Amino acid sequence: MILEGKTALVTGGSRGIGRAIALRLAGMGARVAINYVSKPDAAQAVVDAIGAAGGEGALYKFDVADSAAVNDGITKIIEDFGRLDILVNNAGITRDGLLMKMKEESWDQVLDTNLKGAFNCIKAVNRPMMKQRWGRIVNISSVIGFLGNAGQANYAAAKAGLTGLTRSVARELASRNITVNGVAPGYIDTDMTRDLAEEVKEKVLAEIPMRAMGSVEDVAGAVAYLVSEDARYVTGQFIHVNGGMFMG
């Protein structure tokens, strides 16, 4: 149990990749705070699964795009658990559409959640982690942030922005024994990708050298490495989990 005594926060932890990360960290011994905005039943199911496996988890509802709500939520987590050691910025949304038809609202919503949300959470945990002189921050990006994609200019911009944010904050916090890294998944088998039309799936698979989508556990495994002591000397880096779709 290499994370025993540690507390982790996973934003957007109610389903998909976030759920898998939360379960993996709990399995490593961490107490896990599950952040969510909607789908309370799904979020509770994650906490129940953690408890059934002998772990400890709790729910915290707040919108990562709202800085005041983030500050209140993280303050409450630290009050409840006594400390916060690991932050996984996983919360994200999509509002896809071609740029010429994209509404300003769709741009703002995606940037506010996917990029500003990570900024809000990092800023809120900055001082507590610096004080305890230990911390692990992992930002969940996307292959789209490195390759771009037609119809996803807002999503690609937000995820690309995470690259600069990750590397800048990594430089700021390295001397305090706080690492800041990212994981960039490719096409992962989730509810979203399962709903794709078969012809779209075939086109996607043709772009992946491994000719298969990844699993949420593949992503969780990369996060598990980055928050462990095995990665104590790794900071400002991105692990690409995409079956060879992008090699950077």
Side-chain angles (χ1 to χ4, degrees), residues 22-200:
L23 294 176
R24 183 64 174 266
L25 298 186
M28 296 166 71
R31 301 167 297 186
V32 184
I34 308 297
N35 158 258
Y36 72 103
V37 174
S38 59
K39 297 181 173 57
D41 292 343
Q44 184 60 52
V46 180
V47 172
D48 292 344
I50 290 173
E56 183 179 357
L59 296 180
Y60 296 87
K61 181 180 180 180
F62 57 85
D63 184 353
V64 298
D66 183 338
S67 60
V70 169
N71 289 334
D72 290 344
I74 289 178
T75 297
K76 184 66 166 62
I77 292 168
I78 294 173
E79 288 176 354
D80 291 347
F81 292 105
R83 59 187 294 128
L84 181 55
D85 306 279
I86 298 164
L87 167 65
V88 181
N89 282 310
N90 171 73
I93 62 172
T94 57
R95 297 289 186 270
D96 295 350
L98 294 175
L99 184 65
M100 64 181 297
K101 296 182 179 179
M102 184 176 291
K103 296 180 180 178
E104 185 176 351
E105 180 184 16
S106 297
W107 175 273
D108 289 343
Q109 287 175 340
V110 172
L111 270 291
D112 283 350
T113 297
N114 298 13
L115 182 55
K116 184 182 176 184
F119 161 79
N120 287 337
C121 291
I122 292 171
K123 189 171 183 182
V125 305
N126 192 308
R127 194 175 298 276
M129 286 186 178
M130 288 178 70
K131 186 176 180 180
Q132 67 196 22
R133 300 189 71 86
W134 199 96
R136 298 287 186 267
I137 298 171
V138 181
N139 297 319
I140 305 302
S141 182
S142 168
V143 66
I144 301 304
F146 291 85
L147 289 176
N149 195 34
Q152 288 191 302
N154 49 3
Y155 185 79
K159 293 300 188 180
L162 280 178
T163 304
L165 177 64
T166 298
R167 291 174 176 163
S168 296
V169 179
R171 290 183 179 274
E172 292 184 15
L173 300 182
S175 65
R176 298 301 183 98
N177 198 30
I178 301 167
T179 66
V180 187
N181 293 289
V183 175
Y187 284 93
I188 304 299
D189 184 17
T190 62
D191 292 340
M192 185 182 299
T193 55
R194 289 184 203 117
D195 290 339
L196 294 174
E198 284 304 316
E199 59 269 25
V200 175

Side-chain angles (χ1 to χ4, degrees), residues 142-144 146-147 184 186 207-209 240-248:
S142 168
V143 66
I144 301 304
F146 291 85
L147 289 176
E207 298 176 3
I208 303 172
H240 295 276
V241 185
N242 59 40
M245 186 177 179
F246 171 80
M247 302 180 188

